[in-house]
Amino acid sequence: PICSNPYVDLGNVDRLLQESYIRLFLESWPGEGLANARAVDSLRPLADGRANTGGPWLLSFKSKDVETDATWKAVATFFGLWPEVPIRGRYFGVLRLRWRDSVIFLVASSSPFASKARKTTKGLVHAALPASFANLSLPSLAKAKGSEALEP
């Protein structure tokens, strides 16, 4: 058997109920809820490494419908994610992912959370156009802390 324990402690599973999970996603995630995110005003800090720490970050992108809108492909390509729609792992049009030593929320402009994001960032969220992702080179991967550089 994989585990010799007769049961596995899943913690407080009530946090997975919709109302509780929305609260967790927005506010209660320790320091990393959407309400704590700071808007990235352009894609440049993501590409050049200035947004590697200090988040959580919020990046909104133009999208009419996260289920069918092909604009996701440019965003996904930039972040090295699966480019097909619907967006895998999204929660009401928001994808929360680890970004270097931080967290970034990719928020579709069609998401019901987009208006909440504008309120928590004092209206500083501007949806990036998909074409702006194509004009940047892919972010370079940073060497892991304490690791040796790999030979090409």
Side-chain angles (χ1 to χ4, degrees), residues 10-128:
L10 299 176
N12 180 6
V13 294
D14 288 342
R15 67 183 173 186
L16 300 177
L17 298 173
Q18 186 166 355
E19 187 177 309
S20 297
Y21 189 77
I22 288 174
R23 190 171 40 259
L24 175 69
F25 191 79
L26 289 176
E27 302 160 1
S28 304
W29 220 308
E32 295 180 350
L34 182 57
N36 299 316
R38 293 183 294 154
V40 176
D41 56 357
S42 77
L43 298 174
R44 183 60 51 201
L46 298 172
D48 66 18
R50 286 179 285 151
N52 286 354
T53 61
W57 303 101
L58 183 149
L59 178 66
S60 180
F61 62 94
K62 290 259 188 219
S63 174
K64 293 179 183 172
D65 180 4
V66 294
E67 291 286 328
T68 60
D69 196 343
T71 59
W72 167 248
K73 185 173 184 175
V75 179
T77 300
F78 178 80
F79 286 100
L81 301 171
W82 186 259
E84 305 300 321
V85 289
I87 301 167
R88 292 182 181 195
R90 78 195 181 297
Y91 183 67
F92 288 103
V94 177
L95 183 63
R96 179 187 185 275
L97 53 98
R98 286 272 164 209
W99 180 254
R100 311 277 166 76
D101 293 328
S102 193
V103 169
I104 187 166
F105 290 93
L106 302 178
V107 182
S109 59
S110 59
S111 167
F113 289 128
S115 62
K116 291 182 188 304
R118 278 190 288 281
K119 288 177 188 171
T120 61
T121 59
K122 299 175 181 66
L124 298 175
V125 177
H126 304 286

Side-chain angles (χ1 to χ4, degrees), residues 77 140 147:
T77 300
S140 58
S147 68

Side-chain angles (χ1 to χ4, degrees), residues 1-13 15-16:
I2 293 175
C3 181
S4 61
N5 291 337
Y7 67 93
V8 176
D9 182 7
L10 299 176
N12 180 6
V13 294
R15 67 183 173 186
L16 300 177

Side-chain angles (χ1 to χ4, degrees), residues 122-138:
K122 299 175 181 66
L124 298 175
V125 177
H126 304 286
L129 297 172
S132 59
F133 288 92
N135 296 332
L136 286 176
S137 58
L138 293 174

